[in-house]
Amino acid sequence: MATIKDVARLAGVSVATVSRVINKTDFVNPETAGQVLKAIEQLQYEPNAVARGLAGKKMGIIALILPDILNPFFPALARGVEDVAHKKGLTVILGNSDDLGLKESSYIKVLKKKYVDGFIIASNTIREEDVEALRKERIPIVLLDRGLNTASCAVIRSNNREGAKIGVQHLIEQGCQRIAHIYGPQEFITARERLLGYEEIAKGLSGYSPSLMVSGNFDIEGGRKAVEQLLTRHPDVDGIFAGNDLMGVGALKALHERGIRVPEEVKVCGFDGIGLTEITEPELTTVAQPIYEMGKLAARILLDEIESGIRENSIIELDVTLIPRKSTQ
Amino acid sequence: MATIKDVARLAGVSVATVSRVINKTDFVNPETAGQVLKAIEQLQYEPNAVARGLAGKKMGIIALILPDILNPFFPALARGVEDVAHKKGLTVILGNSDDLGLKESSYIKVLKKKYVDGFIIASNTIREEDVEALRKERIPIVLLDRGLNTASCAVIRSNNREGAKIGVQHLIEQGCQRIAHIYGPQEFITARERLLGYEEIAKGLSGYSPSLMVSGNFDIEGGRKAVEQLLTRHPDVDGIFAGNDLMGVGALKALHERGIRVPEEVKVCGFDGIGLTEITEPELTTVAQPIYEMGKLAARILLDEIESGIRENSIIELDVTLIPRKSTQ
DNA sequence: GTATTAAATGTAACCGTTTACATGAAAAAC
DNA sequence: GTTTTTCATGTAAACGGTTACATTTAATAC
């Protein structure tokens, strides 16, 4: 592969001039520039990204660290990030943290050494110190789904509490009186917020009882078990608001196993809006986050910060939308 | 951040010696090495990966290019690749090609400039020339699901034809007589092989007819439409072998809409073994590929080639396994 | 007509490693 | 007691760019 020196030689100029032409970083006599461009064309020259990276401390790579790409929530996010990055000529490094602080830190450490331009981290467990360390080194970072106590960097999330209220409200409108909630791990702010949203509305119902809230671990199996537990406590539930779609699916499964008809006897609403909700039987009503858009937005904000160098601290809360389907009609 | 020069200074040796200690690339007096190690520790020194990359033409990054991470087949693959890479201290760059040759080439071009150590490409459309170009520059590459005509690099895939035979055989064993096949785009070798496998077995059935084969585009909607078409042609089908799980899901949906009971009236079998198959109602019998394992294997082979420098040309065909579920019992 | 400024380009240091080659000291060979 | 090896380390040239600063020439000011 040709190097900048080859181009300089062929064009009869110095490497500095070639660099100037390539990067449009300084004025170059149009005639000279023409020579350089011709040489570049002739040699099929392409600047080496690593050399550039070494000189400029930026490799044109953004790091996307998320809990687990196998969790159906994250592919859409990743795709959103990648689409924006790709359009701007950047590439994306993907890391699965399994929500393990240690793994996260290790990714950050390794990737800093690779001069990634910035980080997008979807994490419920990231430590404050990690964010601070990045901030100190002026490495841009955008967080997804992280608590607002930390406004030391841009945070993108959806309006979880409002979403929960919308979901519960919908169940009420569909005629439910005894509405249960399956909540996710309370370390996760998203799970906490949704629980609060549920409580806020459900508390006002005549059939309300705190024991209508059961824990479900954010996965299918958790949702199933939660419903089994719930049914022994409250055989008379007529609505279930699941803290995410996976638990919603689990709920549907458990109900189906027990021969309880959805939506006739019990209505179920999920949260997230992942693709799965369209293939259950019945299809699952859900409070949908704009997942793909969140990924795109995160990438855009990060790229802005990378380009401008000015730190973005805002917390952006995106609206969710109810998608009514068979499971509640 | 401390550099190798700082370490050299503090330890009172040359940078070459430090480099030797770090990389164990040459003998160093244990006492000197001790000094160096102490200095490294004291300065919290970590070698800069980009400088290393520039010097060694390897960034410790592997590129994973796949059609679309949103397609539920691929997250498991990506996770397999990433897990192996991470264990060896490498990172993974993810690219979505949308099965567009142009996008693929563009990724390859960009990533070569970033000195990625190697490529894993899951593609049905990759061009021979792209592979050759990489081979020529001695950049390791592993292909997933690509035709055997090209044995100029390692290829990993599962035994699609055999899998199809197993699936159809299973339907027969469950008592089906008129078994239809929904096939994927015939540009894809996987789709062709599965079709061939189906034909091989189905041809022998008394109720066989070529019009039992309908095209379905490898997605849910395609599967649904295919079944609608199929039912007008052959209202008496009693078994459907879908070329992949997504079309299998579509088939279930179409049948459900028409009030045709699965498995009582029609049995359905999919192919791939993605997670979706466990949440349909009824759960979908499928011929499962070891997706996660394929990802791991691809990464392992690639890493071997990267380390050893010796070119791997084998075609590895992995076994598939039938997972019998409600949709065929 | 000299001083000042602007325009265009070159020189060389720097980014942080690796590594071929050179060097010097000590050990082995004769 | 030289000569040859071996061992341990240093020197400096890559790797392939960017960029601060210097330099040269032409244009403008006075």
Side-chain angles (χ1 to χ4, degrees):
Chain A
M1 267 213 183
T3 73
I4 198 170
K5 280 182 199 161
D6 301 325
V7 174
R9 203 174 306 135
L10 181 60
V13 299
S14 73
V15 294
T17 300
V18 178
S19 178
R20 284 178 192 118
V21 172
I22 295 168
N23 302 303
K24 304 188 207 313
T25 168
D26 214 338
F27 192 89
V28 174
N29 185 309
E31 210 171 313
T32 317
Q35 303 281 301
V36 172
L37 257 14
K38 217 174 67 188
I40 288 176
E41 173 65 22
Q42 218 175 101
L43 294 172
Q44 296 262 54
Y45 167 74
E46 308 245 7
N48 180 298
V50 181
R52 271 190 163 163
L54 182 58
K57 295 191 191 300
K58 270 191 202 174
M59 280 293 297
I61 296 176
I62 73 185
L64 172 63
I65 298 175
L66 37 77
D68 184 4
I69 192 71
L70 278 174
N71 179 324
F73 181 81
F74 293 108
L77 207 66
R79 181 75 213 228
V81 171
E82 212 273 321
D83 280 355
V84 170
H86 185 251
K87 202 174 296 171
K88 299 259 184 176
L90 303 219
T91 46
V92 175
I93 280 183
L94 176 74
N96 297 99
S97 73
D98 292 320
D99 262 321
L100 262 29
L102 226 68
K103 243 180 137 184
E104 268 164 14
S105 313
S106 120
Y107 274 118
I108 294 176
K109 199 164 132 191
V110 168
L111 292 174
K112 264 169 29 180
K113 291 191 259 175
K114 295 196 179 166
Y115 283 161
V116 299
D117 301 31
F119 287 83
I120 295 177
I121 305 185
S123 166
N124 302 95
T125 62
I126 187 157
R127 294 172 316 175
E128 188 57 36
E129 21 178 325
D130 288 324
V131 176
E132 274 318 312
L134 289 173
R135 300 266 51 159
K136 243 170 227 143
E137 305 184 52
R138 318 212 77 239
I139 302 176
I141 170 172
V142 172
L143 255 34
L144 285 159
D145 272 358
R146 176 72 166 123
L148 82 169
N149 37 348
T150 317
S152 68
C153 68
V155 176
I156 298 183
R157 59 178 183 223
S158 26
N159 197 328
N160 289 294
R161 193 180 306 202
E162 189 59 27
K165 286 159 73 175
I166 291 170
V168 177
Q169 197 65 54
H170 171 70
L171 287 170
I172 294 173
E173 279 157 19
Q174 297 301 310
C176 299
Q177 296 288 341
R178 300 236 336 139
I179 301 174
H181 177 49
I182 314 178
Y183 57 85
Q186 292 298 294
E187 314 81 276
F188 297 179
I189 179 140
T190 51
R192 284 203 302 277
E193 287 288 315
R194 291 170 200 173
L195 180 61
L196 288 172
Y198 160 81
E199 268 188 304
E200 206 170 311
I201 302 292
K203 234 172 15 201
L205 291 173
S206 58
Y208 176 74
S209 147
S211 57
L212 280 165
M213 299 184 285
V214 289
S215 147
N217 201 33
F218 265 174
D219 60 19
I220 295 182
E221 196 47 34
R224 169 189 260 137
K225 283 189 189 138
V227 167
E228 278 165 16
Q229 190 183 332
L230 184 69
L231 288 175
T232 61
R233 273 196 219 157
H234 296 282
D236 58 338
V237 287
D238 56 4
I240 297 177
F241 173 63
N244 73 356
D245 286 335
L246 290 178
M247 296 192 298
V249 169
L252 289 182
K253 279 194 166 289
L255 292 167
H256 184 262
E257 279 162 17
R258 301 229 171 180
I260 299 173
R261 284 169 306 141
V262 178
E264 293 81 357
E265 297 175 69
V266 175
K267 302 190 198 305
V268 180
C269 176
F271 201 114
D272 277 350
I274 61 180
L276 292 189
T277 53
E278 290 184 68
I279 71 164
T280 52
E281 184 50 47
E283 291 184 9
L284 184 63
T285 292
T286 185
V287 178
Q289 303 189 54
I291 310 179
Y292 176 72
E293 289 304 328
M294 286 168 76
K296 283 178 86 164
L297 185 60
R300 273 200 219 103
I301 290 179
L302 187 75
L303 293 186
D304 279 354
E305 190 171 335
I306 290 170
E307 276 177 32
S308 69
I310 57 178
R311 176 165 164 167
E312 191 65 65
N313 278 349
S314 42
I315 294 182
I316 300 179
E317 212 156 75
L318 276 71
D319 284 339
V320 297
T321 54
L322 181 82
I323 304 182
R325 298 217 186 87
K326 295 258 181 62
S327 72
T328 55
Q329 324 257 281
Chain B
M1 267 215 183
T3 74
I4 198 171
K5 279 182 200 163
D6 301 325
V7 174
R9 202 174 307 133
L10 182 59
V13 300
S14 73
V15 294
T17 299
V18 177
S19 178
R20 285 180 191 116
V21 171
I22 294 169
N23 302 302
K24 304 186 206 314
T25 169
D26 213 338
F27 190 90
V28 174
N29 185 310
E31 209 170 315
T32 318
Q35 304 281 302
V36 173
L37 258 13
K38 215 174 68 188
I40 288 176
E41 173 65 23
Q42 216 174 100
L43 295 171
Q44 294 262 54
Y45 167 74
E46 308 247 6
N48 180 297
V50 181
R52 271 191 162 165
L54 181 59
K57 295 192 193 300
K58 268 191 203 174
M59 279 293 296
I61 296 177
I62 73 184
L64 172 63
I65 298 175
L66 37 77
D68 184 3
I69 192 73
L70 278 174
N71 180 323
F73 181 81
F74 293 108
L77 207 65
R79 182 77 213 228
V81 170
E82 212 271 322
D83 280 355
V84 170
H86 184 251
K87 203 175 296 172
K88 298 260 185 176
L90 302 219
T91 47
V92 176
I93 280 183
L94 176 75
N96 296 101
S97 72
D98 292 320
D99 262 321
L100 261 31
L102 227 68
K103 245 181 137 184
E104 268 163 15
S105 312
S106 119
Y107 274 117
I108 293 176
K109 200 164 131 189
V110 168
L111 293 173
K112 264 171 25 180
K113 292 191 259 175
K114 295 196 179 168
Y115 283 161
V116 301
D117 301 30
F119 287 84
I120 295 177
I121 305 185
S123 166
N124 302 95
T125 63
I126 187 157
R127 296 170 318 176
E128 188 57 37
E129 19 178 327
D130 288 323
V131 177
E132 274 318 312
L134 288 174
R135 300 265 53 158
K136 242 171 226 139
E137 304 184 51
R138 319 212 78 238
I139 302 177
I141 169 173
V142 171
L143 255 33
L144 285 159
D145 272 357
R146 176 72 167 123
L148 83 169
N149 36 349
T150 317
S152 68
C153 67
V155 177
I156 298 183
R157 59 178 182 222
S158 26
N159 197 331
N160 289 293
R161 194 181 304 200
E162 190 59 27
K165 287 159 73 176
I166 291 170
V168 177
Q169 198 64 54
H170 171 70
L171 287 169
I172 294 173
E173 281 158 18
Q174 298 300 310
C176 299
Q177 295 288 341
R178 282 188 62 86
I179 301 174
H181 177 50
I182 313 177
Y183 57 84
Q186 292 297 295
E187 315 82 275
F188 297 179
I189 181 142
T190 50
R192 284 203 302 278
E193 287 287 317
R194 291 171 200 174
L195 180 61
L196 288 172
Y198 160 80
E199 268 187 304
E200 206 170 310
I201 302 293
K203 232 167 22 196
L205 291 173
S206 58
Y208 177 74
S209 147
S211 59
L212 281 166
M213 298 183 285
V214 290
S215 146
N217 201 35
F218 265 173
D219 60 20
I220 294 183
E221 196 47 33
R224 169 188 261 137
K225 283 188 188 142
V227 167
E228 278 164 15
Q229 191 183 331
L230 185 68
L231 287 176
T232 61
R233 272 196 219 158
H234 295 282
D236 58 339
V237 285
D238 57 4
I240 297 177
F241 174 63
N244 72 357
D245 286 335
L246 289 177
M247 297 192 298
V249 169
L252 289 182
K253 280 196 166 289
L255 293 167
H256 185 262
E257 280 161 17
R258 301 230 172 178
I260 299 175
R261 286 169 305 142
V262 178
E264 293 81 357
E265 298 175 70
V266 175
K267 303 192 199 303
V268 181
C269 176
F271 201 114
D272 277 350
I274 61 181
L276 292 188
T277 54
E278 291 184 69
I279 70 164
T280 53
E281 184 49 48
E283 292 184 7
L284 183 63
T285 293
T286 186
V287 178
Q289 303 189 54
I291 310 179
Y292 177 71
E293 290 302 328
M294 286 170 76
K296 283 178 87 164
L297 185 60
R300 274 198 219 105
I301 290 179
L302 187 75
L303 293 186
D304 279 355
E305 191 170 334
I306 289 170
E307 277 177 30
S308 71
I310 57 177
R311 177 164 160 169
E312 191 64 65
N313 278 350
S314 42
I315 295 181
I316 300 180
E317 212 158 74
L318 276 70
D319 284 340
V320 297
T321 54
L322 181 82
I323 304 182
R325 298 217 186 87
K326 295 257 182 64
S327 73
T328 55
Q329 323 257 281

